[in-house]
Each structure stands twice: as structure tokens, then as C-alpha cells.
Amino acid sequence: MKEQLFDPRRKIFICNNESVMVDFAVNHFIACAKHAIKKYGSFFVALSGGSTPKLIYRKLSSDYRNAIDWKKVVLFWSDERSVGIDHPDSNYKMAIDSGLGNLSIPSHQIFRMEGEKNALHGAEEYEKLLYQKLGKRPFDLIMLGMGEDGHTASLFPDTTALGEKDRRVVANWVEKLQTWRITFTIPWINQAENTVLYVIGTKKKERLYDVLYDKSDSYPASKIGTLMHPALWIVDKEASELLLKEDPIRKAS
Ligand code: 6PG
């Protein structure tokens, strides 16, 4: 099972079914963790919200719970909704409840975005925290999803955060949802050693095609990946239907 190069900024792994996808994603996570722990003695990862990561967190914290030294793992989040930790929409709650809370990650190594705070203030605080904990070191892994509108993290189309050049974390007003979000920015995501986007389901096939073939990078998710750090797209057969029509040589595993 191996990913293919999609273009110089992106790699892609297309899988036949959910279980192949989750296994591949979990193994990728473990490989990134082992590499970072060997190199730095710790693994800094930023988690995402969304349905696919949930399956990955479940698998990591059950079948693969002994695959990593969890005491060396440091958890952050790449975005958060404007809610507290008990709210069903909380990305923090989702990850912790999906099993990551049962692992031996020390609580002082788990850094959530405080969605219940004023978003501008919450974003500033989180950015300070990143400078304190990481300094100039980039993340070892940033996990992301993609919405049907081509958003990633909480970087929605036509929102101000997309124009951000200097900040690592910002508050982003999302007009169509009438809500604030706290989110990593494109330049900060693109500094990560590894970025991965998980996309499943037939509902996303048009957008996945548009995003990957969009020459002008107009969708937020199109902007992820650089020549130095190509993004990895892990997608299922349903989501990749149009890509496979365009290039039938690409095969699903
Ligand atoms: C969030 C996310 C968001 C998500 C996509 C895909 O907080 O919702 O971080 O960017 O990853 O919307 O979500 P699904 O995998 O559930 O479709």
C-alpha cells in the first residue's frame, strides 16, 4: 500500500473501502510519530474535527494503542468551533471521547483551543502557546479534512483568514454559518513536516476533483501542500470517482 504523486505539491492514496483507509491513515500517523520521536524525543501533532479523523482516533486508541510511546506525544488542534468542551460540536471533545483521552498522554501535553472564549482572544492565546511550546519547530503532523465547499480546518471560502500571511492562528468569521471559528492559517499549515487531508464519500467527489485540478488554487483546500512539504490526500473510491475517470491509471488499493 503506497501513495502516488498527484503533482509536485501533493501525494494521493486512493482506497477501496473504509477499513483500508483507516489502516493506512493510522499507519501513516504512527510512522510520523516514530520518526519525530526518534529525531526530537517528542511528536507534535495537530488534530482535526470531522468524521474520518474520529475513526482514526478510535483505531489508534484501540488496536494500535501499543504502537507508540504516547507519553512522548503532544496534542494540539488545527481548528475549533465556538463552543466549550462539553458541547457535542467541540473538536476537542470528539478527539478525547474517541479514545485519545484513554491513552497515557500526560494531561500537560494536551493543548486545546478554547472555543468558549472570545475567538480573537482565544486565537492570540493559542498562537502564543505555539510559540512557547514549538518555537521555530514546525508541527510533525497536521491532520485536516475537507468540507463539500472546499474548506479545510476552519478556512472557509471567501473568509478573511485566507489572506493571512504572518499569523499562525487566527479568529475567522464564517458568514454562512454565522459563527466565529479559531483556525490555523495556510502559511502555518504549509510549514508542517507532514500534512494530511482525509476525504471520504460520494458527496465530496465534485469538490475533490475541483480542488485538485484547480490551477488557480481558489479553494482553501487547494492551497495546502508545498514543493518542500507535499500534502498527502487519503481518499476513498467514492470521493475519487471523478479523479479516476480523468486518470484511469491511478488505482485504488
Ligand atoms: C471541523 C473541521 C473541518 C472538517 C471538514 C470535514 O471542525 O469541522 O476541522 O475542516 O475537517 O469539515 O469534515 P468531515 O470529515 O466530517 O466531512
Side-chain angles (χ1 to χ4, degrees), residues 26-96:
V26 164
N27 281 300
H28 173 256
F29 182 102
I30 292 169
C32 292
K34 287 193 167 157
H35 179 82
I37 291 172
K38 200 168 165 203
K39 189 167 168 191
Y40 302 107
S42 57
F43 173 51
F44 279 70
V45 55
L47 307 177
S48 155
S51 45
T52 320
K54 190 174 185 165
L55 304 172
I56 299 166
Y57 305 150
R58 284 215 182 108
K59 191 89 174 177
L60 274 171
S61 48
S62 52
D63 302 0
Y64 289 83
R65 59 179 303 129
N66 296 321
I68 304 175
D69 182 355
W70 292 99
K71 291 195 194 66
K72 304 210 162 117
V73 174
V74 189
L75 292 187
F76 289 82
W77 272 259
S78 48
D79 74 320
E80 187 56 275
R81 289 100 182 261
S82 289
V83 294
I85 53 170
D86 293 328
H87 197 281
D89 289 346
S90 159
N91 284 342
Y92 166 82
K93 177 178 166 54
M94 185 278 275
I96 297 299

Side-chain angles (χ1 to χ4, degrees), residues 136 138-139 168 186-194 226 229:
K136 288 196 175 142
F139 268 101
R168 292 180 174 187
I186 300 281
W188 175 238
I189 294 172
N190 276 339
Q191 281 186 39
E193 229 19 80
N194 297 279
T226 65
H229 301 293

Side-chain angles (χ1 to χ4, degrees), residues 48-53 78-79 81 91 144-147 151-154 181 198 204:
S48 155
S51 45
T52 320
S78 48
D79 74 320
R81 289 100 182 261
N91 284 342
L144 299 165
M146 183 193 78
H151 80 259
T152 190
S154 281
R181 295 280 185 101
Y198 312 98
K204 294 191 181 165

Side-chain angles (χ1 to χ4, degrees), residues 10 12 21 48-53 78-79 81 143-157 176 181 196-214 218-224 232-236 238-240 243:
R10 289 168 298 202
I12 191 162
M21 176 177 194
S48 155
S51 45
T52 320
S78 48
D79 74 320
R81 289 100 182 261
M143 301 170 81
L144 299 165
M146 183 193 78
E148 282 172 57
D149 58 359
H151 80 259
T152 190
S154 281
L155 297 159
F156 287 78
K176 74 171 179 185
R181 295 280 185 101
V196 59
L197 295 106
Y198 312 98
V199 184
I200 55 172
T202 191
K203 283 198 299 194
K204 294 191 181 165
K205 67 180 180 193
E206 274 94 12
R207 192 55 75 229
L208 181 65
Y209 180 92
D210 294 344
V211 162
L212 289 178
Y213 282 104
D214 171 24
S218 50
Y219 294 99
S222 312
K223 301 178 195 297
I224 307 299
L232 171 62
W233 287 74
I234 303 181
V235 304
D236 73 353
E238 282 72 33
S240 56
L243 297 179

